[in-house]
Amino acid sequence: MWTRAELKEQAKAGLRKYYWYGLLVVFVAGLLGAGSNGAVSGGPSVTVRNTLDENSVVHQQFMDPMLSAGLIIMMLSIMLAVFAVVLCFTVFVSNVVAVGKCRYFTMSTLNMENAGFEELFSGFKKGRYLNLVKIQFCRGLFEGLWTLLLIIPGIIKHYEYYMVPYLAAEYPDMDRKEIFQLSRQMMDGNKFNTWVLELSFIGWELLGLLACCVGMIFVEPYYEATFAELYLKLREERLGISRFGGTHAPDADGAVYTQELEN
């Protein structure tokens, strides 16, 4: 059984040899939407409201029903267009980059050296891309639908599918159902401990906030390396794949599926 201390020590030992490359990977991944999301400030809306209250002529124009309806339709159209663009970018770019990030840290952690920045974009290779798009889309869709049903089931599904991007990174040609089943198998009995592992980084994140949030990015390689270690540990415990003995994983029917991680 794995422990938080064990995973973190192993992550730090390997990370010393490729930290700055890992930092570059998480920085670029964040720019492409495969990192953490920031909060949106509501300040500008207050400024507009106060200005309208102070200017009676403009206020009366906005109160005109026809003009108001036109503005609402225009704003809704803009919002829908922006939402569609963001959704498409997330599905076809960010999700695939997220898989590449998992691949980079898994390979770097396994070999204790820089795997190569190009691994971040390995999911865009011919023959892998569409399958990875489908896998990541289904993962987000299922988690979202369960969350809409009830919050708790959504959280459970989130941790149940936690290893999906790691498995997709290592086995990009594997069928979506098989990957989801393997993730459930790996996370069975490990959901709560994984959540606690996430919480253990709060202190580091708070420390990063002291540098106007800029310091948080310097913690990300440590975070990613630790969860890559968790994947490798669960892969060994639940799938019977030795850390140093190749990359052979059982599929949903118990047969052996083979995919070289270095390919």
Side-chain angles (χ1 to χ4, degrees), residues 48-70:
V48 172
R49 184 186 61 192
N50 292 339
T51 304
L52 292 179
D53 289 339
E54 294 171 1
N55 192 324
S56 59
V57 176
V58 177
H59 180 71
Q60 290 175 3
Q61 290 178 349
F62 270 84
M63 289 300 292
D64 181 82
M66 294 297 294
L67 183 59
S68 297

Side-chain angles (χ1 to χ4, degrees), residues 22-23 25 30 45 58 64 67 91 117 148 175 185 190 214 228-229:
L23 183 63
V25 166
S45 63
V58 177
D64 181 82
L67 183 59
V91 171
F117 178 78
L148 287 176
D175 181 70
Q185 182 178 337
N190 288 294
V214 177
E229 283 286 353

Side-chain angles (χ1 to χ4, degrees), residues 32 89-101 103 118-130 132-133 172:
L32 295 174
F89 188 83
T90 299
V91 171
F92 295 105
V93 179
S94 301
N95 285 350
V96 181
V97 172
V99 172
K101 182 173 66 172
R103 182 179 176 86
E118 66 276 5
E119 293 299 336
L120 181 62
F121 303 103
S122 60
F124 293 95
K125 290 182 179 180
K126 186 177 180 180
R128 299 179 176 180
Y129 178 69
L130 292 180
L132 295 182
V133 167

